[in-house]
Structure formats: C-alpha cells, structure tokens
Amino acid sequence: RLVSFDGRTAVLATGAIAAPQVSQTDPTTPVGVQPETQQASNELDEIVVTGTRARGQTVLTSSSAVTVATREDLDRKAPRSTAQALELIPGVFVEGSGGEVSNNFSVRGLAGGGQQFVQLQEDGLPVFYINALSDTILKQEVSIDRLEAVRSGSSGILTVNGAGATVNFITRKPDFDKSGGTFQLTTSSFGTARVDAFMTKPIAENTAISIGGFYRKDDG
C-alpha cells in the first residue's frame, strides 16, 4: 500500500520502511500446497519515508531519523496549533506559548529561537522560505492526512531552511469510489469556537473532487 505522495510531482523521494508480513501456515493445509496468504508474504506492507536521496533506501540503512504521524495520531494529540503537532516528532523542541501561530520550535542540538532550521512543507512544497511565519501559513485542520518528518541527514540538502528537520504535511486525497467527509466542532472555556469540515465525492470515472477548511471565532 503506497501511502507517500507521488515522487514525480514532489520534492522529496520515497523509500520502503516496512518489513514483509509473516503469514501463519494452516496446519490443515496439505504439504506442497501454498495458502494464498503466503503468496503475499514477499510484498512490502507500506512505503512512508520522506527525505531520502537514494531510491529504495530503507530506514535501517538511513542515517536520518524518520517519524510518521497518521491522522489517528493527530486526532489523539488534538493539537491547537501546528507547533503542537510537531511535539509528535522526537528531538524537536516546541515552545507553544504564542498561541495558535508564530510559535518557537527547533531541533535538539541546533541553535533555537524562532523557527530556525525546520522547514514545513505541504505535499512536498515549502510553505515559506525563511525561519518565520511558516506555522501561520500552514495550520492544522482535518484536510491534513498525516505528517512525515525527517531530522538531519539528507534533510538539509532537499529543501531550504531544513538543516535540522523537514516536516511534510500530506493532505487528504479525493475518494474515487464513494462520497464522504468529516465534520468537527471545537469549543473551549475561553470563548473559542471552530468548525472544521472535509468532503469528497466522485463526479465521473477516474475523477473526484474534495474540499476542506475551517472557520474559527474567538475574542483574541
């Protein structure tokens, strides 16, 4: 199952990280007969790596530290800001005292302050080219499918301001088979109200549309 974005249209390449699944042999199966589950044992489970220079390179042979946070991980974290979502990445220091935007985050071992040496991307494209305001442009919403992060290693040569880490937010893609969506309401005790929505619908053969976003209101 290919879960990374298309390498032909993205800045970052992909590589395999998962080991083949080991199937269990049914003791009732006659000798010499291969169950269907064993035929798929040599297939990769999934491909999720962002930020490798070599095609087919695995996490075990890479000097980079790779982190993948799925939509389920983000839902459990329930970040109020993009900076809080970065707390899912080991080795990234986050100072979320600025509220929803304009927070400080940096990578362990490098100079901190602002947003130095950390590049935020959306589907492989940098959202901003200097070490400021990137979390103001790229915000957390239900249209985000997952984040893929690579620290050090090849990160610094694949994007600008990414010597410490590259964090690639992958957006949800349209569903070509059925209509569906997500609706989310967020409130708080200090007067915040926010509505998130995402919708996808097939409109023709091999063609589908999706739309998503949020509306928020508070006193600040």
Side-chain angles (χ1 to χ4, degrees), residues 31-190:
V31 177
V33 177
Q34 295 295 326
E36 293 183 0
T37 55
Q38 289 186 346
Q39 295 177 2
S41 63
N42 292 327
E43 296 179 1
L44 289 173
D45 185 31
E46 57 184 13
I47 299 175
V48 294
V49 172
T50 285
T52 176
R53 293 171 294 155
R55 178 177 297 180
Q57 186 178 31
T58 65
V59 168
L60 293 178
T61 59
S62 172
S63 61
S64 304
V66 178
T67 301
V68 177
T70 64
R71 182 69 251 175
E72 290 76 15
D73 296 328
L74 293 171
D75 288 340
R76 284 193 296 268
K77 177 67 175 177
R80 294 185 58 248
S81 65
T82 298
Q84 286 187 352
L86 302 185
E87 293 176 348
L88 293 169
I89 307 171
V92 174
F93 168 77
V94 177
E95 186 179 39
S97 59
E100 291 189 18
V101 299
S102 191
N103 288 286
N104 299 325
F105 46 83
S106 56
V107 175
R108 179 180 59 203
L110 296 176
Q115 301 172 5
Q116 294 189 71
F117 310 121
V118 179
Q119 177 59 260
L120 302 186
Q121 296 187 340
E122 184 172 356
D123 292 331
L125 297 177
V127 297
F128 212 64
Y129 287 92
I130 60 175
N131 58 331
L133 301 178
S134 57
D135 67 332
T136 304
I137 300 173
L138 178 62
K139 298 183 179 180
Q140 283 302 296
E141 53 179 310
V142 296
S143 296
I144 299 295
D145 181 58
R146 67 187 184 279
L147 70 83
E148 299 178 354
V150 56
R151 287 188 292 110
S152 68
S154 56
S155 174
I157 65 173
L158 292 174
T159 187
V160 297
N161 192 44
T166 299
V167 185
N168 192 13
F169 290 85
I170 310 299
T171 57
R172 296 172 66 176
K173 301 301 184 287
D175 194 324
F176 295 91
D177 300 322
K178 60 183 179 179
S179 301
T182 302
F183 181 84
Q184 179 176 293
L185 174 64
T186 305
T187 61
S188 70
S189 59
F190 46 88

